[in-house]
Amino acid sequence: MTTFDDAPGGRLRNLFRTTAFKLSVAYLLVFATCALAALGYVAWNASRVLDDQMVSTIEAEINGLSEQYKVGGLRRLIAAVERRAGEPGASLYLVTNAAGERLVGNIAALPTGLIVDPGQTEADYARNGGSQILDHRAIMQIFVLPGGFRLLVGRDVEERDRLRSVIGRTFGSSVGLVVLLGVVGAWFIASRVLKRVDAMTETTRRIMAGDLDGRLAVAGNGDELDRLARNLNAMLERIGELMRGLRDVSDNIAHDLKTPLTRLRNRAEEALRSAESPEALRTALEGVIEESDGLIRVFNALLMIARLEGASAREEFQVFDVGAVVQAVAELYEPLASEHGLALVVVTEGDPLTLRGSRELVGQAVANLVDNAVKYGGPDGEIRVSAVRTGDTLRLSVSDSGPGIPSDARGRVLDRFVRLEEARSQPGFGLGLSLVNAVVRLHQGTLALEDHAPGLSVVITLPAGDAGG
């Protein structure tokens, strides 16, 4: 694992350790290798083309001179060779007899025995007017004429060697430039990456030191570091929400459960102090049990919310009919709604109303919403429960005709133990909507509180079919 240090010279070492620097160097090596291969191919191909051109020129001159020999004999051949050898930029010529003795030409010396064997070759030679040292090189072709005479025609390869030298120098300077630009580019890219990594490291150190509001900087260019920063910031935001929720739960437990616990203790103490008959003690114990059951329900709800937020319940997901769940909940609450003077209306549209999820949890969420609607719906009103499929989504809604919830408090009522002043007269601890919200999140849906004019409409949107698992 790559580690970074803050010692003197550590930044330079860190720069060389960065993935960006290593990748840049790797790309540089690949590019340099490709450049080497390309330049090598160009040099080879250019050399081959020059060789082919020289061979074609040599063959054309041999054909022409051999025709001169056929037409005018040796004398005409020698005259033609002398004329051509004196021209600027002339080829190399040599005519010998059968014994290999020089008759005419602009070549002073050749390797021993070279003129004997006919055909094409590349060899060293010495020019006329110079020393006998074989200090030049040429492509030559030796042709045997009738009578045993030898005709040699060649082209000096100095031009080809000069081209190779030029390509070699160009190759060296190009590779050097590529390496220089690659190193500078790698240094620049790695420096920018390291600067951003250092900033991220400093931010994470502050977060680890306790500054949970710290967030990683986003450059805004959409690269992988930006994506990483956004994902980490989203994770930190979620962790912050959970931490704030934990603090709020602790505070709310301390405040909201203090009253029932105090009432529980006072009832027990009052029973011990003033109960004068078994019936009075029994009544006091029944009150204590009732208070205890309420506290147990609160802790069960908290455990359920924690389990839902941990997403472990997804392992039990299966496909079920949401319409059947809504109908079952409505049948369960219809007598209670009638007692409160409320009409309970169920609307199901779309086929099929299937969802991949937990039948029990979705049923619990709908039941919580219907229970709240019964509590706060007001007399002579209506509760409308609907399940509608639109495309790939299911829309569950529970609407009532009660006083509703002010728009500025709709986000707050989803938190645990939050109860508005208007709801203080009703039994409960403010966990119903929190549980519903946890169920919706588990199924990767959304929950919205909307005006029903009058009343409140709680709308749940869930992915239909096999989604959500």
Side-chain angles (χ1 to χ4, degrees):
M1 180 179 65
T2 302
T3 58
F4 294 89
D5 60 76
D6 299 322
R11 181 173 178 81
L12 184 60
R13 290 191 294 272
N14 292 342
L15 180 66
F16 293 141
R17 292 174 182 174
T18 57
T19 301
F21 187 84
K22 295 176 182 177
L23 287 176
S24 298
V25 171
Y27 292 149
L28 167 64
L29 293 176
V30 172
F31 183 79
T33 302
C34 293
L36 286 172
L39 286 173
Y41 174 76
V42 169
W44 172 81
N45 199 47
S47 177
R48 185 177 62 82
V49 169
L50 283 177
D51 287 348
D52 291 344
Q53 289 178 347
M54 287 189 286
V55 169
S56 298
T57 301
I58 291 170
E59 289 178 348
E61 293 208 47
I62 285 180
N63 291 333
L65 291 173
S66 62
E67 287 296 325
Q68 294 284 346
Y69 179 79
K70 290 179 182 179
V71 173
L74 183 62
R75 184 182 300 275
R76 188 164 180 173
L77 173 63
I78 291 175
V81 168
E82 286 180 342
R83 185 179 65 254
R84 293 188 182 188
E87 295 176 353
S91 298
L92 302 175
Y93 303 99
L94 182 63
V95 178
T96 69
N97 57 21
E101 297 172 347
R102 182 179 181 276
L103 300 178
V104 68
N106 54 6
I107 296 177
L110 288 170
T112 304
L114 178 68
I115 198 69
V116 176
D117 299 323
Q120 180 180 315
T121 185
E122 182 174 335
D124 297 329
Y125 73 99
R127 292 178 177 175
N128 284 350
S131 66
Q132 295 293 312
I133 299 175
L134 305 179
D135 55 355
H136 298 280
R137 192 166 184 83
I139 294 177
M140 308 171 186
Q141 186 161 337
I142 301 164
F143 184 74
V144 180
L145 298 169
F149 295 99
R150 261 63 171 178
L151 170 63
L152 182 150
V153 180
R155 294 291 296 184
D156 197 294
V157 296
E158 182 180 1
E159 183 179 355
R160 183 194 67 185
D161 293 341
R162 188 182 302 115
L163 175 63
R164 287 179 177 176
S165 177
V166 170
I167 292 177
R169 289 195 300 271
T170 304
F171 174 80
S173 60
S174 299
V175 170
L177 181 61
V178 168
V179 171
L180 177 61
L181 293 177
V183 170
V184 172
W187 183 280
F188 175 73
I189 295 172
S191 297
R192 291 191 62 189
V193 171
L194 183 59
K195 183 178 179 181
R196 295 179 64 185
V197 170
D198 286 342
M200 289 183 173
T201 301
E202 182 61 29
T203 303
T204 55
R205 285 176 178 172
R206 292 200 307 269
I207 294 172
M208 289 187 292
D211 180 15
L212 297 181
D213 293 329
R215 294 295 180 268
L216 302 179
V218 178
N221 51 22
D223 60 7
E224 61 276 5
L225 289 180
D226 270 3
R227 295 196 298 271
L228 175 63
R230 288 192 182 96
N231 289 334
L232 289 176
N233 286 340
M235 180 187 71
L236 291 171
E237 189 66 32
R238 181 58 179 156
I239 291 175
E241 291 178 1
L242 294 176
M243 294 294 292
R244 288 190 295 270
L246 181 61
R247 287 195 298 268
D248 292 343
V249 167
S250 301
D251 293 341
N252 289 327
I253 287 178
H255 288 87
D256 288 26
L257 296 187
K258 181 178 180 180
T259 299
L261 286 173
T262 301
R263 191 163 55 243
L264 179 65
R265 182 187 181 284
N266 289 341
R267 282 191 176 185
E269 184 179 14
E270 179 67 21
L272 290 175
R273 186 179 64 252
S274 61
E276 299 178 352
S277 64
E279 289 76 11
L281 287 173
R282 182 179 183 86
T283 301
L285 286 175
E286 289 175 351
V288 169
I289 292 173
E290 183 179 354
E291 292 286 351
S292 300
D293 288 341
L295 291 174
I296 291 173
R297 285 194 296 272
V298 170
F299 284 111
N300 285 338
L302 289 173
L303 290 173
M304 175 64 73
I305 293 174
R307 176 171 172 262
L308 295 178
E309 290 180 344
S312 60
R314 287 181 182 169
E315 299 174 358
E316 303 173 2
F317 276 11
Q318 58 184 353
V319 178
F320 65 94
D321 184 2
V322 176
V325 172
V326 170
Q327 292 287 354
V329 172
E331 291 176 3
L332 178 65
Y333 277 88
E334 188 172 9
L336 183 61
S338 298
E339 290 180 7
H340 286 74
L342 297 170
L344 185 58
V345 179
V346 178
V347 178
T348 57
E349 296 178 1
D351 186 31
L353 295 174
T354 56
L355 173 72
R356 180 173 178 78
S358 171
R359 180 188 183 95
E360 292 75 16
L361 294 177
V362 172
Q364 180 67 53
V366 175
N368 282 11
L369 296 178
V370 174
D371 187 71
N372 284 345
V374 171
K375 288 181 182 178
Y376 309 112
D380 301 324
E382 180 184 83
I383 299 173
R384 178 175 290 268
V385 184
S386 69
V388 179
R389 176 169 184 148
T390 305
D392 294 332
T393 61
L394 286 176
R395 189 175 186 271
L396 302 178
S397 66
V398 177
S399 307
D400 60 57
S401 54
I405 298 177
S407 57
D408 58 350
R410 290 174 186 169
R412 190 163 53 90
V413 296
L414 299 179
D415 296 334
R416 302 171 196 177
F417 294 106
V418 173
R419 304 186 72 200
L420 302 180
E421 291 300 325
E422 296 81 356
R424 294 289 179 180
S425 59
Q426 296 288 347
F429 291 90
L431 294 175
L433 287 177
S434 298
L435 180 60
V436 174
N437 193 33
V439 172
V440 172
R441 281 188 176 184
L442 179 70
H443 290 78
Q444 299 180 354
T446 59
L447 184 146
L449 305 182
E450 302 175 355
D451 281 327
H452 189 53
L456 177 71
S457 181
V458 182
V459 179
I460 298 173
T461 304
L462 300 172
D466 292 338

